[in-house]
């Protein structure tokens, strides 16, 4: 089977960080290139070896920025890759694209980068209006946000499986606990308790402000290559033991909570099968968490718990520091920084390579050194999904 | 309860014409029978171009709903709170609409709704009336 042959063949050999949080007077592209430079240094490779560059996302330029395209990033890095691409409109194609290029020998190193000045530039993610005019049907019904669409699924899950704010509170609080161990996290030094969660205002009920990831300034980048090259670089890396990508490319309107073809279900089934693991083998999860409910939906669709077991499974004692299944150990997008799939995946690599300081699994009391970490990248409203099973590589 | 004008195009125009007549009209593929929404030039099931527009009953079940408490545009500041709903009609068609004049605390996913229409100057659009929870 083709998928089995791709097991343990590829690796993440570098991660690049930039200043992050509220960093004014920076262009979006400046964060892309700073993150890539840092990732190259971390990997120990020269920029001339980048054969493919994928940048997240295509955003409308704000704060006087020029349009930030893949061409812009490549030009400012002074690189000439064979393939450049941009993850526009929340598609998540970078993994299969990158793996395909590496597997065929068409690329030596593949770089994925994220950069934005969303916080200081005050980016709005309302796509349903352009210049005050509707871009599709939805504005006619006052449906103007991604948050409303996630909330729609969250409500259905509430009425069907008994989840709700008191479950999502546990996710928000657990991730905040992790963030309080991470000096570069946006919410470092800002613990959250039950009262704090419930006092946050409802935005798109049943989701509150604290159920939603805030904007960040900054960037993050990773370097992918083959395991053979990874070994030659002579430093720790993360092996991609299994991976899977899937889409449910219907309108958010047609997304169903119990869809057997949910992108997360299909992608994780491929990844777990390729990796040859069960849920019991997973030491930690680093999951795309645009909303608290996204974490619940992902763990549920990955099969970690049956839908009606959400209340027992999603407790801070279980997924927070000291718990038996750490989730989003950097604080996640909710409490660390919003760099889409790069947030969870870079944290997984940092954990596996032992560089997480006070939040390091295995050093933090009550935790064990991780061998296998499952990561997710999720696009749009459960419409595009990547699942990675990463393992410590020597 | 008027928001922004819908975006009407060559694919979806007959749906919005149907709304003016207080009817829910969608495309049915004449080859395989699948009824589709959103409107599309080809059948997403079998890719046939052979299409007819059919009218579905003005009722459905509530897949889910959201109570917007914060405005995502300045013009919505006076309209919050309002309820966005996703309603499952017959033939596997689901539409976005708004609950109209409802007691939010009574709403439950899976309950029955009736579809009515709100007329504006240039267009009409569906609204959903709560009819009660299912057993």
């Amino acid at each position: 089977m083709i998928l089995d042959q791709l097991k343990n063949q590829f690796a993440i050999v570098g991660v690049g960080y930039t200043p992050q949080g509220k960093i004014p007077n920076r262009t979006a592209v400046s964060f892309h290139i700073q993150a890539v430079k840092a990732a190259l240094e971390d990997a120990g490779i020269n920029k001339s070896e980048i054969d493919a560059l994928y940048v997240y996302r295509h955003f409308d330029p704000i704060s006087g920025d020029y349009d930030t395209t893949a061409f812009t990033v490549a030009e400012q890095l002074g690189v000439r890759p064979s393939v450049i691409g941009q993850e526009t409109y929340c598609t998540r194609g970078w993994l299969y694209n990158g793996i395909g290029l590496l597997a065929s020998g068409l690329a030596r190193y593949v770089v994925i980068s994220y950069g934005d000045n969303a916080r200081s530039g005050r980016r709005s993610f309302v796509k349903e209006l352009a210049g005050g005019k509707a871009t599709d049907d939805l504005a006619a019904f006052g449906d103007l946000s991604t948050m409303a669409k996630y909330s729609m699924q969250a409500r259905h899950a509430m009425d069907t499986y008994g989840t709700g704010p008191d479950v999502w509170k546990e996710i928000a609080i657990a991730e905040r606990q992790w963030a309080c161990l991470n000096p570069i996290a946006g919410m470092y030094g800002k613990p959250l308790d039950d009262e704090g969660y419930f006092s946050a205002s409802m935005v798109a009920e049943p989701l509150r402000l604290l159920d939603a990831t805030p904007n960040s300034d900054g960037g993050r980048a990773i370097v992918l290559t083959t395991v053979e090259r990874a070994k030659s670089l002579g430093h720790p890396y993360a092996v991609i033991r299994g991976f899977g990508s899937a889409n449910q490319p219907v309108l958010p309107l047609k997304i169903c909570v119990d869809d057997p073809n949910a992108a997360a279900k299909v992608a994780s089934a491929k990844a777990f099968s390729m990796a040859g693991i069960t849920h019991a083998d997973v030491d930690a999860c680093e999951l795309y968490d645009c909303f608290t409910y996204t974490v619940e939906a992902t763990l549920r669709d990955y099969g970690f718990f049956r839908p009606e077991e959400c209340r027992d499974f999603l407790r801070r004692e279980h997924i927070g520091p000291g718990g038996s299944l750490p989730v989003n150990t950097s604080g996640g997008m909710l409490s660390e920084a919003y760099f889409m799939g790069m947030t969870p995946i870079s944290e997984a690599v940092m954990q596996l390579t032992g560089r997480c300081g006070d939040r390091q699994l295995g050093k933090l009391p009550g935790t064990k050194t991780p061998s296998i970490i499952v990561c997710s990248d999720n696009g749009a409203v459960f419409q595009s999904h990547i699942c990675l099973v990463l393992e410590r590589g020597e | 309860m008027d928001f922004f004008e819908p975006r009407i195009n060559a694919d979806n125009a007959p749906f919005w014409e149907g709304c003016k007549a207080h009817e829910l009209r969608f495309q049915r593929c004449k080859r395989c029978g699948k009824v589709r929404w959103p409107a599309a030039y080809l059948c997403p099931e079998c890719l046939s171009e052979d299409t007819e527009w059919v009218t579905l009953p003005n009722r459905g079940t509530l897949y889910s709903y959201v109570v917007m408490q914060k405005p995502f545009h300045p013009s919505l500041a006076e309209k919050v709170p309002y309820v966005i709903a996703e309603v499952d009609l017959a033939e596997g068609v689901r539409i976005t609409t708004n609950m109209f004049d409802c007691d939010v605390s009574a709403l439950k996913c899976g309950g029955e709704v009736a579809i009515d229409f709100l007329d504006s100057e240039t267009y009409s659009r569906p609204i959903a009336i709560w009819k009660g929870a299912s057993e």
Side-chain angles (χ1 to χ4, degrees):
Chain A
M1 184 145 196
I2 292 224
L3 287 178
D4 293 341
Q5 292 163 24
L6 301 174
K7 169 182 178 168
N8 290 331
Q9 298 298 308
F10 309 100
I12 302 175
V13 294
V15 292
Y17 285 70
T18 72
Q20 62 185 39
K22 190 170 170 69
I23 315 285
N25 299 312
R26 291 282 301 266
T27 60
V29 66
S30 75
F31 288 119
H32 273 283
I33 59 179
Q34 190 175 33
V36 172
K37 178 183 176 185
L40 296 174
E41 282 166 3
D42 194 49
I45 64 167
N46 191 285
K47 66 180 182 139
S48 61
E49 299 176 89
I50 303 175
D51 292 321
L53 172 68
Y54 292 101
V55 310
Y56 274 82
R57 280 249 329 269
H58 184 233
F59 294 123
D60 293 335
I62 50 178
S63 308
D65 282 20
Y66 295 156
D67 199 12
T68 303
T69 68
F71 287 113
T72 318
V73 177
E75 194 259 335
Q76 294 198 4
L77 286 170
V79 296
R80 202 177 282 115
S82 314
V83 177
I84 56 176
Q86 193 155 18
E87 302 280 275
T88 55
Y89 296 107
C90 277
T91 55
R92 296 289 188 261
W94 62 265
L95 180 73
Y96 275 18
N97 286 334
I99 297 274
L101 291 170
L102 292 169
S104 59
L106 286 168
R108 294 163 293 171
Y109 294 93
V110 177
V111 169
I112 297 93
S113 76
Y114 186 103
D116 202 13
N117 51 6
R119 175 134 176 222
S120 292
R122 299 164 68 79
R123 178 175 299 289
S124 153
F125 281 90
V126 171
K127 277 287 151 206
E128 290 80 353
L129 281 182
K133 290 190 161 281
T135 56
D136 58 17
D137 292 349
L138 301 173
F141 304 99
D143 182 1
L144 286 191
S145 65
T146 303
M147 188 168 184
K149 298 169 179 66
Y150 272 85
S151 195
M152 195 71 76
Q153 302 304 323
R155 169 67 68 179
H156 185 95
M158 268 178 85
D159 284 3
T160 311
Y161 300 131
T163 187
D166 51 344
V167 174
W168 307 325
K169 150 179 76 80
E170 293 299 302
I171 296 168
I173 288 173
E175 294 203 30
R176 190 67 73 92
Q177 288 174 344
W178 287 111
C180 287
L181 294 168
N182 185 359
I184 66 169
M187 295 296 182
Y188 180 67
K190 299 178 186 162
L192 180 67
D193 58 13
D194 285 20
E195 194 191 327
Y197 175 84
F198 283 116
S199 67
S201 33
M202 281 292 187
V203 176
E205 186 170 358
L207 294 180
R208 290 175 156 81
L209 192 63
L210 287 180
D211 290 307
T213 284
N215 272 334
S216 307
D217 300 322
R220 193 74 56 85
I222 63 172
V223 181
L224 298 188
T225 190
T226 59
V227 163
E228 208 181 314
R229 271 189 212 93
K231 286 189 203 306
S232 75
L233 291 172
H235 61 70
Y237 57 91
V239 181
I240 302 177
R241 178 167 165 161
F243 63 89
S245 173
N247 293 297
Q248 183 49 294
V250 298
L251 289 184
L253 170 67
K254 296 165 89 166
I255 293 292
C256 293
V257 165
D258 55 4
D259 184 352
N261 294 317
K265 287 181 189 165
V266 177
S268 62
K270 292 180 191 174
F272 277 56
S273 170
M274 186 193 296
I277 60 162
T278 68
H279 299 92
D281 297 317
V282 179
D283 297 315
C285 294
E286 309 290 354
L287 305 177
Y288 194 99
D289 55 336
C290 45
F291 300 97
T292 48
Y293 171 69
T294 314
V295 175
E296 174 180 0
T298 304
L299 289 167
R300 178 195 70 216
D301 287 353
Y302 280 16
F304 277 94
F305 61 89
R306 287 200 307 277
E308 51 284 342
E309 292 171 339
C310 51
R311 225 158 262 288
D312 290 329
F313 192 90
L314 296 165
R315 292 175 298 108
R316 69 193 79 166
E317 298 82 10
H318 188 213
I319 60 175
S324 54
L325 186 70
V327 174
N328 290 4
T329 59
S330 73
M333 303 195 309
L334 282 169
S335 295
E336 189 220 333
Y338 179 47
F339 302 138
M340 297 191 172
M342 294 294 95
T343 298
I345 292 167
S346 59
E347 173 69 2
V349 175
M350 294 293 279
Q351 284 286 356
L352 290 169
T353 53
R355 298 186 277 168
C356 286
D358 290 339
R359 69 189 192 278
Q360 178 62 52
L361 298 174
K363 296 239 168 60
L364 181 67
T367 65
K368 64 177 272 258
T369 302
S371 182
I372 291 179
I373 300 185
V374 165
C375 312
S376 70
D377 189 2
N378 158 86
V381 185
F382 300 117
Q383 292 156 280
S384 194
H385 201 95
I386 287 170
C387 177
L388 287 175
V389 178
L390 299 184
E391 189 166 22
R392 198 168 58 236
E394 301 307 322
Chain B
M1 197 191 353
D2 255 350
F3 299 106
F4 297 89
E5 286 205 18
R7 202 171 175 90
I8 300 178
N9 57 48
D11 285 333
N12 68 22
F15 169 84
W16 293 103
E17 281 305 307
C19 288
K20 281 186 178 165
H22 290 196
E23 289 189 350
L24 291 168
R25 297 182 192 159
F26 303 94
Q27 293 157 300
R28 177 163 62 201
C29 176
K30 284 163 86 167
R31 192 211 282 180
C32 76
K34 182 177 166 68
V35 180
R36 60 185 181 265
W37 182 251
Y41 193 79
L42 303 179
C43 173
E45 194 66 37
C46 73
L47 299 184
S48 170
E49 285 184 43
D50 217 3
T51 303
E52 60 187 347
W53 283 83
V54 297
T55 301
L56 295 186
N58 287 354
R59 61 177 177 275
T61 57
L62 187 66
Y63 170 75
S64 193
Y65 65 98
V66 171
V67 186
M68 292 307 300
Q69 299 284 4
K70 296 279 181 231
F72 275 73
H73 187 271
S75 69
L76 298 175
E78 276 134 52
K79 298 195 159 79
V80 292
Y82 59 88
V83 183
I84 308 169
E86 290 184 354
V87 174
D88 285 315
L89 307 173
E91 306 285 348
V93 171
R94 181 182 292 172
I95 59 169
T96 302
T97 181
N98 300 106
M99 299 307 302
F100 187 74
D101 207 23
C102 79
D103 169 17
V104 170
S105 65
L107 298 178
K108 200 106 174 87
C109 298
E112 305 296 315
V113 303
I115 300 294
D116 201 343
F117 292 82
L118 259 188
D119 300 322
S120 302
E121 214 175 295
T122 52
Y123 68 100
S124 295
R125 44 58 142 256
I127 54 173
I129 315 287
W130 178 246
K131 287 296 177 194
S134 50
E135 283 306 298

